């Protein structure tokens, strides 16, 4: 049978599929293995960094960055990289878990959560660019709130089965686990999804860069003042998030959320400022409510502004085409030769 040409109608088949040369299939398998190892290393590094910000017994953290990395990596590079998540999750939890079987169960739960979330997201037409409001809502409800139910449930059941958590502490453990994983997706997944788009920032003018740097600096200063104030002035950070989303969309909103969230998490871990005046439970509720609110505000507003800009561009393009279509018959009419009796 004659081989199909590589055109837009007949794209070249992916390596490793039927009909491809053996050496290309081996090369593809090597790339997949390299991607698995890279994801495992990145996941392990994020996990170790997240454990630095522990609240209780070097295990409870306000948010778990590896979940955001796992969701973003699977969305960008495919579900074939899932073994890297399992390997890294097992290695991270092995020194912390009560027993190897419990650690293995936790690693399986940490893998199933992003895998299932990504499966549902891709089936529903999710776009990693987060340029539409529907994509942001899907990431929030499917990727963060819905998908992380799996990891929290599997992990809590594994700890309870191993005797590390008593039966009456199951739901508090589940809630802390779920909110930490969900915040990891909500805060960090957009940042990882934004990384491949940094090349488009090369053409940004100097004034825009100065404005962005000034905005990020102001966000850090205001977040520090607001978070260390005992009067509860965390709302002062929201105008800067609105500024970032309106002026820079996702490229400005995501760094502002990361900076403001990181500052409040560090202060909460140190029990300093706004997060050192009440019980640990109330401070964690305030922290998670603040982090969730700023992430939702920035992501939703940036998506709305992006959709508005896209609609304006389409309207301008349509008006230009309509004006050109109207002007063309008029130009043809003026160019026609007139008879002698016409004025």
């Amino acid at each position: 049978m004659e081989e199909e040409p590589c055109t837009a109608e007949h794209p070249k088949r992916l390596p490793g599929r039927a009909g491809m040369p053996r050496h290309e299939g081996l090369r593809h398998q090597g790339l997949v293995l390299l991607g698995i190892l890279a994801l495992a290393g990145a996941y392990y590094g994020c996990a170790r960094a997240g454990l630095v910000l522990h609240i209780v017994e070097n295990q409870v953290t306000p948010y778990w960055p590896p979940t955001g990395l796992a969701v973003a990596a699977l969305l960008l590079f495919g579900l074939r990289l899932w073994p890297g998540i399992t390997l890294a999750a097992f290695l991270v939890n092995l020194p912390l878990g009560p027993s190897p079987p419990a650690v293995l169960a936790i690693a399986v739960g940490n893998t199933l959560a992003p895998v299932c979330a990504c499966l549902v997201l891709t089936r529903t037409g999710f776009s990693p660019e987060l340029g539409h409001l529907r994509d942001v809502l899907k990431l929030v409800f499917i990727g963060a709130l819905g998908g992380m139910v799996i990891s929290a449930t599997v992990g809590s059941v594994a700890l309870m089965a191993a005797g590390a958590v008593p039966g009456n502490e199951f739901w508090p453990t589940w809630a802390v686990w779920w909110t930490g994983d969900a915040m990891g997706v909500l805060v960090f997944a957009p940042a990882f999804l934004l990384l491949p788009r940094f090349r488009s920032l090369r053409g940004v003018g100097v004034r825009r860069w100065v404005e962005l740097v000034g905005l990020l600096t102001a966000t850090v200063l205001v977040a520090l003042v607001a978070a260390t104030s005992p009067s509860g002035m965390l709302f002062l950070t929201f105008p800067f998030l609105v500024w970032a989303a309106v002026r820079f969309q996702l490229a400005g909103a995501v760094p502002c959320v990361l900076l403001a969230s990181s500052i409040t998490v560090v202060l909460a871990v140190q029990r300093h400022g706004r997060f050192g005046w009440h019980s640990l439970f109330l401070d964690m509720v305030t922290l998670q409510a603040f982090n969730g609110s700023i992430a939702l505000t920035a992501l939703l507003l940036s998506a709305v502004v992006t959709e508005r800009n896209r609609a304006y561009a389409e309207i301008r393009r349509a008006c230009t085409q309509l004006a050109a279509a109207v002007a063309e018959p008029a130009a043809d009419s003026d160019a026609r030769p007139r008879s002698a009796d016409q004025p």
Side-chain angles (χ1 to χ4, degrees):
M1 181 180 296
E2 185 178 356
E3 183 179 359
E4 294 180 350
C6 180
T7 61
E9 292 78 11
H10 302 281
K12 187 176 182 181
R13 294 182 179 181
L14 293 176
R17 292 188 178 182
M20 292 302 297
R22 179 180 177 85
H23 69 278
E24 291 196 16
L26 293 176
R27 178 176 175 271
H28 175 70
Q29 293 176 2
L31 291 176
V32 172
L33 179 60
L34 183 62
I36 291 173
L37 295 178
L39 177 57
Y43 189 102
Y44 186 86
C46 286
R48 298 305 303 178
L51 288 174
V52 174
L53 301 174
H54 63 272
I55 300 293
V56 178
E57 298 179 0
N58 199 30
Q59 296 184 10
V60 179
T61 59
Y63 52 35
W64 191 237
T67 57
L69 171 65
V71 171
L74 295 181
L75 286 172
L76 292 175
F77 304 107
L79 295 175
R80 295 182 179 182
L81 303 185
W82 68 264
I85 302 174
T86 307
L87 175 61
F90 181 81
L91 294 177
V92 168
N93 290 285
L94 187 58
L96 308 174
S99 63
V103 171
L104 181 60
I106 292 172
V108 171
N110 289 346
T111 305
L112 287 177
V115 167
C116 293
C118 291
L119 280 174
V120 178
L121 286 173
T122 53
R123 292 291 179 87
T124 57
F126 174 79
S127 175
E129 294 183 357
L130 297 177
H132 295 276
L133 184 61
R134 62 177 180 269
D135 294 324
V136 174
L137 294 176
K138 290 175 184 178
L139 181 65
V140 173
F141 289 102
I142 298 176
L145 302 182
M148 298 306 114
V149 170
I150 299 175
S151 58
T153 303
V154 174
S156 300
V157 170
L159 291 179
M160 188 176 65
V165 173
N168 59 349
E169 293 293 329
F170 174 81
W171 288 113
T173 303
W174 184 93
V176 171
W177 200 310
W178 176 66
T179 54
D181 283 358
M183 286 301 157
V185 175
L186 195 58
V187 174
F188 287 92
F192 291 117
L193 292 174
L194 186 64
L195 290 178
R197 300 169 55 186
F198 272 127
R199 295 181 180 179
S200 61
L201 299 178
R202 295 177 180 177
V204 178
V206 177
R207 292 184 179 180
R208 296 276 287 176
W209 277 110
V210 172
E211 181 183 358
L212 179 58
V213 172
L215 171 61
L216 297 178
T217 303
T219 301
V220 170
L221 296 177
V222 172
L224 281 173
V225 173
T228 54
S229 174
S231 57
M233 299 170 60
L234 293 174
F235 62 88
L236 293 178
T237 58
F238 282 87
F240 296 91
L241 296 173
V242 174
W243 178 9
V246 172
R247 290 288 292 163
F248 300 97
Q249 288 80 63
L250 204 65
V254 168
C256 284
V257 170
L258 278 176
L259 289 173
S261 177
S262 300
I263 289 172
T264 54
V265 167
V266 171
L267 293 176
V269 170
Q270 297 176 352
R271 306 290 294 160
H272 182 67
R274 175 66 181 81
F275 303 99
W277 297 87
H278 304 287
S279 64
L280 178 61
F281 174 77
L282 291 178
D283 287 338
M284 288 302 98
V285 170
T286 303
L287 175 66
Q288 301 294 32
F290 173 74
N291 288 335
S293 298
I294 62 175
L296 282 175
T297 300
L299 293 176
L300 293 175
L301 185 56
S302 63
V304 170
V305 174
T306 301
E307 288 186 338
R308 184 205 62 178
N309 295 341
R310 187 183 299 111
Y312 284 170
E314 292 178 356
I315 291 174
R316 287 193 296 267
R317 188 183 306 109
C319 291
T320 302
Q321 294 175 353
L322 180 61
V326 171
E328 184 177 355
D332 293 342
S333 177
D334 293 339
R336 291 175 184 173
R338 298 180 179 180
S339 59
D341 57 346
Q342 285 183 335

